[in-house]
Every structure is written in structure tokens, then in C-alpha cells.
Amino acid sequence: MANFIIFIIFVVVLGFGFSVQAFALQQVAGKLEANVSPGESQTLEWGLISDNPSQTITVEIIVEGPGSEYLSFPDKAVLQPGQLQFIEVVVSIPNDYDQSITLNPIIYAIEKGETGGATVINTQMKKILTLNIINEKPEIEVAPTPEVTGQNVAT
């Protein structure tokens, strides 16, 4: 029994000696939605937070999926300890886009883990964007074609 108690104490002490705090990447809740017509742009803001109280972190920003070709955004963002940082995502639809459609690209913020150990853990946040492309081309009114008869022909 004494050996068992010594073993438990050893495990507890050893466990506390090698424990490290883990911090996380967080994002602001809510939708990121744009209603854009061809030839227009709209800026969306994605809020990211590092809950690390003492260390600045850098995250890589990437997007994928249908509609990602219409997005402009920074490649990286620097998050200060405990501070909210808004990442600007600009949606730009070309003039010649001829559909009315909803596209849902996905944007990711990736915090690379520390290298040098046996395991590297990356932290990733993702947000699904909603791009409502509204193509309301006005109908062109066509004037009636005048009727041509043989009497109106000049000779």
C-alpha cells in the first residue's frame, strides 16, 4: 500500500513538473456575408483574438472554395496578446459576371506550432463566408420595327 501512495505522489509531482499552458486562437462569432453586384466591392471584417496574455502570434490567412477568387486579404496577421484584431476581406465581383448566385468560400487562420519537439501542433480557425452575387441587369426595351411596304421604296 505504501508503494502505491508513493507511486501516486510521484505521478502527481511529475505531472505538474512537465505541464505547460496551452493558449488558443479565437474568433468573433457571427456571419460574414456580402451582398454584391457585378462591378462592386464590399469589405468584410473577420475578428481574431489570441488569448495568450504575454506573447504576440502570427497567423497565416488562406481561403479556398467557390468564390475564393473574388476575395482579397492579407497573407498574414499579427495578433497582440489578448487583443481583438480585425482582418479585412475585400469581395470584388468583376463587371462581366453574369450570374445571380450564392457562393460559400472558406477562410482559415492558421497558427503554426513550435518546431523542435517530437510533435508540432498547429491551431486553425475557419469561417464560412456567404457571397450573394446579385446580377440585376435592366431589361433593354426594344423599339418596334417599322413596317416596310413597297410604297415607301424610293426609285
Side-chain angles (χ1 to χ4, degrees), residues 32-33 51 78 94 106 122 125 130 139 143:
L32 286 180
E33 185 171 357
D51 70 354
V78 177
I106 302 170
N122 296 332
M125 295 301 303
T130 301
E139 289 192 28

Side-chain angles (χ1 to χ4, degrees), residues 2-154:
N3 287 342
F4 180 71
I5 293 173
I6 293 173
F7 175 75
I8 295 297
I9 292 172
F10 178 73
V11 169
V12 170
V13 170
L14 199 66
F16 282 118
F18 290 107
S19 69
V20 290
Q21 280 191 305
F23 299 103
L25 179 61
Q26 301 176 16
Q27 67 179 327
V28 174
K31 291 184 177 182
L32 286 180
E33 185 171 357
N35 297 311
V36 188
S37 296
E40 294 181 349
S41 294
Q42 183 177 345
T43 301
L44 303 173
E45 291 185 332
W46 183 28
L48 296 174
I49 306 166
S50 168
D51 70 354
N52 189 322
S54 62
Q55 200 172 27
T56 298
I57 64 166
T58 301
V59 294
E60 180 183 354
I61 309 293
I62 60 171
V63 295
E64 66 180 16
S68 61
E69 65 271 24
Y70 306 121
L71 303 178
S72 301
F73 53 91
D75 293 337
K76 295 180 188 268
V78 177
L79 306 179
Q80 299 299 323
Q83 297 284 323
L84 172 63
Q85 172 78 29
F86 284 101
I87 309 303
E88 289 192 352
V89 180
V90 179
V91 181
S92 298
I93 307 302
N95 285 327
D96 60 351
Y97 196 87
D98 62 353
Q99 295 181 36
S100 287
I101 192 169
T102 297
L103 301 172
N104 296 106
I106 302 170
I107 188 166
Y108 297 91
I110 303 167
E111 179 186 3
K112 301 285 186 177
E114 294 181 19
T115 58
T119 305
V120 177
I121 299 174
N122 296 332
T123 305
Q124 170 181 294
M125 295 301 303
K126 99 176 180 182
K127 178 79 86 170
I128 299 173
L129 308 178
T130 301
L131 309 181
N132 297 312
I133 302 173
I134 304 161
N135 194 351
E136 296 177 356
K137 291 186 178 181
E139 289 192 28
I140 299 172
E141 189 175 320
V142 178
T145 306
E147 193 173 308
V148 179
T149 63
Q151 296 173 354
N152 296 335
V153 178

